[in-house]
Amino acid sequence: MDSVPETPQARPGQRDLTTGPIGATLIAFALPTLGSNILQSLNGSINAIWVGRFLGEGALAATSNANIIMFLMFGAVFGFGMAATIIVGQAWGRRDHEAAKRAFGSAIGLVLTASVVVAVLGWVFAPDILRLLATPPGAFQLALDYLRVIFLGLPGSMLLVLMFMGLRGTGDSMTPLWFMGLSVVLDSALNPVFILGLGPAPRLGIAGSAVATLIANAVAVAGLIGYIAWRDLPLRLKGAEIRYILPEATLVRTIVAKGLPIGAQMLVLSGSALAMVGLVNRNGIQTVAAYGITQQLWAYVQMPAMAIGAAVSAMAAQNIGAGRWDRVGQVTRSGLIYNGAITGAMVVLVLLFDREILGLFVGDASPALPIAQHISYIATWGFILFGGTMVLFGTVRANGAVWGPLAILAIAMFPVRLGAAYALHPWLGADALWWSFPIGSVATVALAAAYYLHGGWRRGALLVPEGHCEERSHADIEPAGSLKPAG
């Protein structure tokens, strides 16, 4: 096997996730990621407040439909970035920093190309997509105006997310926090400017909200590129390394082989969400608006779970790369404990103060408000189970196991969740839609736990690019007979 490069001098925000106390390291890494996620959700909520207050519930329903479509488009290219992040994390854990840079560069080339293609197709077919969703006539044109501008900004937003993911793969969760903050401040401040046409800005209505997002992401990307160069962060591509953006065949095969199933997982989630929106849309615009603002509430509830899952994945990838299997199970257990405590506390808080929070998006007299409260009471607790799934999936994906989570999500989202919504509808009416969420969460976490405990995900091979470090199976690091399921 090739010699292991020496560890370079620590850079700003960089954290070695293969040493130190696991619980403290996990939470210290997860908190900035949680901050980034909260800022991102806060941005969406503030934008929804501007749209709801200035343009009304029809515009709010339009953004709800458009945002779910964007999640679908996002999933089409997100998998490549996630696969590259796994490679970066494993390479960083074994101190092969050149391999990490090559994977990062290839991911940039792939994601930019894919996002441009998706943006063009999204612009062209946006009306057809909205019609497939049965978007209410009163919200159709508004959703179209908003969606098409959002599509224009897709390459910039995808590049920003990819750079955040790559930095976290090296153990740096602070830099993404600062630049997410920059994006949020700009987006939130520019929304009323372009919606209302303040000062020299044109009055664009709902499209103005999308223009604000486009500008904010472009500025954040440019600023982050400059900061990485200025501070000479570990993934900086300089000189001859710029050629890494032209993807290598070996890396392309690895990233695509792992990225497509991860992207498919996103598509399963977004496809299920789209099907749910289609069902919700048939219950009238008030229910659509109520569902939209409930999703804003849920965005906050799921943030701790997403942050802890991301931290578990980054820690597990580095420890797998370093051959520290003794720490991988401990990372998973710590993640499950933290998720139960933090997400559980979030659920309690939002249920206690849901009227005050939901009332930010619509007036107190809005008929959508009690509907939104009702939805929240039925479904919000399921996010505790969702968090457990994120932790378990984060660990197995860190070893390149992507087909198991895909199969689990496909089963839980379609035959279970949507099947429950249809089967219970004759007895529960619209409540069947809301009960299908916790039913799906129960199925997902049960299947994920079974796969984590009994699946073959530990027997995969390290995702190592050729020419840097000889690819070896985990059996060479830890004998198969000594592998024991954690938890």
Side-chain angles (χ1 to χ4, degrees), residues 81 84-85 88-89 104 161-172 235:
T85 301
V88 168
F104 183 63
V161 170
L162 175 63
M163 294 170 73
F164 287 170
M165 292 166 66
L167 289 169
R168 290 180 184 127
T170 68
D172 181 359
L235 291 181

Side-chain angles (χ1 to χ4, degrees), residues 81-91 258 262 313 317 397-402 463:
M82 188 66 189
T85 301
I86 294 170
I87 300 174
V88 168
Q90 288 191 358
K258 300 300 180 183
I262 295 174
S313 187
R397 284 174 181 153
N399 199 32
V402 292
L463 305 178

Side-chain angles (χ1 to χ4, degrees), residues 93-121:
R94 67 179 186 276
R95 306 296 190 263
D96 190 350
H97 304 112
E98 182 71 10
K101 286 187 176 183
R102 295 172 80 99
F104 183 63
S106 289
I108 288 175
L110 280 173
V111 167
L112 276 180
T113 301
S115 61
V116 168
V117 171
V118 170
V120 171
L121 293 176

